[in-house]
Amino acid sequence: MHKETDTMDKTHLTKFYKKTPTERIEALVAAGALTSTDLTGTDSLHLTDELADHMIENYLATYDLPLGSALNFLVDEKDYIVPMAIEEPSVIAAASAGAKVIALAGGFKTTISDRIMIGQVALKDVPDLPLAKSHLLQHKKAILKKANAAHPSIVARGGGATNLLIRIIEADDEAATPEFLVVHLHVSTLEAMGANIINTMLEGITAYLEELTGGKALMSILSNYATECLATAVCQIPVDLLKRNDYTGEEVRDRLIEASQFAYVDPYRAVTNNKGIMNGIDAVVLASGNDWRAISAGAHAYASRSGNYRSLSTWKKADNGDLIGQLTLPLPVGSVGGSISIHPAAQFSKRLLGYQTAKELEAVIVSVGLAQNFSALKALVTDGIQKGHMGLQARSLAISAGASGTAIEKVAEQLKLAKNMNLATAKALLQDILALEE
Ligand code: NDP
């Protein structure tokens, strides 16, 4: 189902956070971000028992997560409302706030590489490694042909196996590991993430690789280190958009750059920096029905590509004094396959985001990661993260204390002013509020 209009009328989205969930859907339809059929409510987005029972083994029940929408994303000159599935408060607010500043600065510009996925066959006990390597290279064409014959439908669609790389991993006495001959199959999986396509192709060539090398295959499997499927987002923000409370725009810029340098050199900080980036990325990946474990594993490996674990993002000063941010990571998401076409919430996310291709989805996801990082760093180097974070955390504490209905907001408001914002205070405040209402 296509949206009724391709242009978004954002005037309907003002004070979006103050609306009820039903009003938000109505506003999104009025803005042209959803179709009028979405007005029938979100009950139909839940997985039925029947569907869920087919998706996994030993199914018992579904486990719900809130699905929200981040606003203000201007990516490659197109407006997006971004679906995010996440349990952590403040992530969607931070993404929207970061994206708003970046939109005022012209939005995100992205570069998406060709979508080539990598499959591995690990061979052991190869009698002569250099000879095996040369045999494999001599028969490269035949190997690619066999791989493509194992999954002809992806070839018919215009994709398929494109290249072969051979890696020799030497034995390591200290680690007590033997030598391996590893064959990398590069495959264009088009709109799919491609795990099943690649695994089928690898199984189609494994016996032939054993024959050519004289070795024994240990395993054949996709690699989640998708270094041939990279997405980059860049933003450039003038200092007048960076001013915050007592800090000038120049000070915020310089402190943010220092924070980026700190995350580059210190793995303890880099992990937390990247966790913040993945707060945004995983939430969109999950909402889109893609495999967030695959994306997370690949991202953290990419952060270690220099041999040290480093920040995935960089923030630098432009010649004209602007702040330039950049984020690059592997993003092998699909627009088809897996649970994307099965899960009703993933289908809803696709309608809301309005993406047409996996590359477009990558562009939005990498931009969300950069917006998230910008907001977190800006807060950290100025007011600190707790001020904004705990404001939202207050509501979770109120609910944990047993508050419901209007009492949630009342407890949260008083908690924000309390000396100790913790569960005990929330419980005491709730008791007082309930006593007053009796
Ligand atoms: P699927 O096998 O579910 O879907 C891919 C299929 O979609 C293709 O084979 C193709 O089949 C069809 N298709 C339709 N249109 C297109 C198009 N335009 N471009 C490409 N394919 C199209 O998914 P994937 O192979 O992508 O695998 C993803 C799933 O694998 C995820 O659920 C993931 O969790 C899981 N997985 C992940 C692993 C990992 O990350 N290590 C390992 C194993 C599984 P056809 O041409 O025949 O119609």
Side-chain angles (χ1 to χ4, degrees):
M1 169 78 64
H2 292 287
K3 290 174 195 175
E4 278 147 16
T5 167
D6 273 344
T7 49
M8 204 182 292
D9 181 356
K10 287 181 275 180
T11 53
H12 296 280
L13 306 178
T14 45
K15 299 267 183 287
F16 192 73
Y17 63 98
K18 288 198 168 166
K19 297 181 193 293
T20 64
T22 305
E23 288 169 347
R24 287 183 193 133
I25 298 276
E26 285 165 2
L28 289 167
V29 172
L34 284 172
T35 65
S36 52
T37 49
D38 292 298
L39 287 171
T40 50
T42 50
D43 285 350
S44 58
L45 302 190
H46 295 292
L47 276 179
T48 59
D49 271 345
E50 193 191 350
L51 191 51
D53 197 21
H54 281 111
M55 287 173 79
I56 60 161
E57 309 75 37
N58 299 349
Y59 166 72
L60 299 173
T62 54
Y63 180 106
D64 290 339
L65 279 180
L67 177 68
S69 52
L71 305 187
N72 312 319
F73 275 85
L74 178 63
V75 181
D76 299 326
E77 293 178 19
K78 185 173 166 190
D79 288 314
Y80 292 94
I81 307 286
V82 184
M84 297 176 81
I86 187 152
E87 86 295 348
E88 187 175 333
S90 87
V91 171
I92 291 177
S96 303
K100 191 172 186 175
V101 174
I102 293 166
L104 289 171
F108 302 88
K109 306 278 177 281
T110 71
T111 314
I112 311 298
S113 74
D114 281 344
R115 291 170 44 80
I116 301 294
M117 309 304 161
I118 301 168
Q120 292 191 297
V121 180
L123 295 147
K124 63 186 187 97
D125 303 332
V126 177
D128 184 336
L129 283 168
L131 186 67
K133 184 174 176 178
S134 102
H135 274 170
L136 289 170
L137 291 174
Q138 273 167 23
H139 293 84
K140 180 171 158 178
K141 252 186 164 174
I143 298 167
L144 293 179
K145 199 170 164 200
K146 257 191 198 300
N148 283 326
H151 209 299
S153 59
I154 194 69
V155 182
R157 290 181 191 281
T162 58
N163 201 8
L164 203 70
L165 284 183
I166 318 294
R167 293 170 57 221
I168 292 176
I169 298 179
E170 305 288 350
D172 184 335
D173 291 342
E174 214 174 301
T177 53
E179 58 193 11
F180 290 104
L181 181 67
V182 186
V183 179
H184 278 201
L185 184 70
H186 286 197
V187 182
S188 161
T189 57
L190 302 176
E191 289 298 310
M193 179 260 206
N196 294 316
I197 298 170
I198 293 212
N199 293 340
T200 307
M201 284 189 171
L202 294 177
E203 285 177 13
I205 60 170
T206 298
Y208 188 41
L209 298 182
E210 286 181 325
E211 193 186 306
L212 287 171
T213 61
K216 290 258 166 294
L218 179 65
M219 66 171 74
S220 310
I221 178 83
L222 162 97
S223 169
N224 287 112
Y225 193 24
T227 51
E228 303 295 318
C229 182
L230 297 177
T232 297
V234 176
C235 63
Q236 178 158 348
I237 312 171
V239 283
D240 57 0
L241 293 176
L242 293 173
K243 194 180 167 321
R244 175 132 163 173
N245 299 336
D246 295 337
Y247 294 89
T248 66
E250 284 79 5
E251 282 171 330
V252 173
R253 176 199 62 203
D254 294 345
R255 289 171 68 80
L256 214 139
I257 291 168
E258 283 162 2
S260 169
Q261 292 163 341
F262 175 35
Y264 182 78
V265 293
D266 179 29
Y268 282 86
R269 171 60 205 148
V271 171
T272 320
N273 181 78
N274 293 345
K275 188 273 179 184
I277 291 171
M278 300 313 286
N279 271 344
I281 288 183
D282 282 344
V284 192
V285 171
L286 185 55
S288 74
N290 272 283
D291 183 339
W292 56 270
R293 284 96 45 209
I295 301 302
S296 265
H300 294 295
Y302 193 68
S304 306
R305 65 194 180 283
S306 66
N308 292 314
Y309 188 94
R310 300 192 187 284
S311 165
L312 284 165
S313 57
T314 53
W315 293 91
K316 294 191 170 142
K317 185 172 158 182
D319 290 343
N320 69 353
D322 289 355
L323 177 68
I324 296 187
Q326 179 169 329
L327 172 65
T328 300
L329 76 162
L331 264 181
V333 288
S335 70
V336 299
S339 67
I340 300 162
S341 349
I342 299 172
H343 199 305
Q347 286 296 298
F348 172 83
S349 295
K350 196 168 189 177
R351 290 201 298 282
L352 178 58
L353 198 47
Y355 70 88
Q356 303 297 321
T357 63
K359 279 191 170 187
E360 190 180 351
L361 179 59
E362 283 186 53
V364 175
I365 294 173
V366 69
S367 300
V368 173
L370 190 57
Q372 207 77 52
N373 188 231
F374 170 62
S375 275
L377 291 184
K378 195 172 161 209
L380 279 170
V381 300
T382 56
D383 305 337
I385 205 116
Q386 286 307 76
K387 195 172 166 192
H389 197 72
M390 289 310 278
L392 290 156
Q393 201 76 20
R395 265 188 257 155
S396 300
L397 278 173
I399 295 167
S400 303
S404 60
T406 54
I408 297 174
E409 223 35 71
K410 285 182 189 164
V411 172
E413 281 310 313
Q414 293 190 27
L415 255 183
K416 283 189 229 168
L417 305 172
K419 195 168 164 219
N420 295 314
M421 193 197 280
N422 56 27
L423 189 58
T425 314
K427 281 184 176 164
L429 287 170
L430 179 62
Q431 266 184 1
D432 292 348
I433 286 165
L434 294 179
L436 277 175
E437 283 175 359
E438 272 169 15

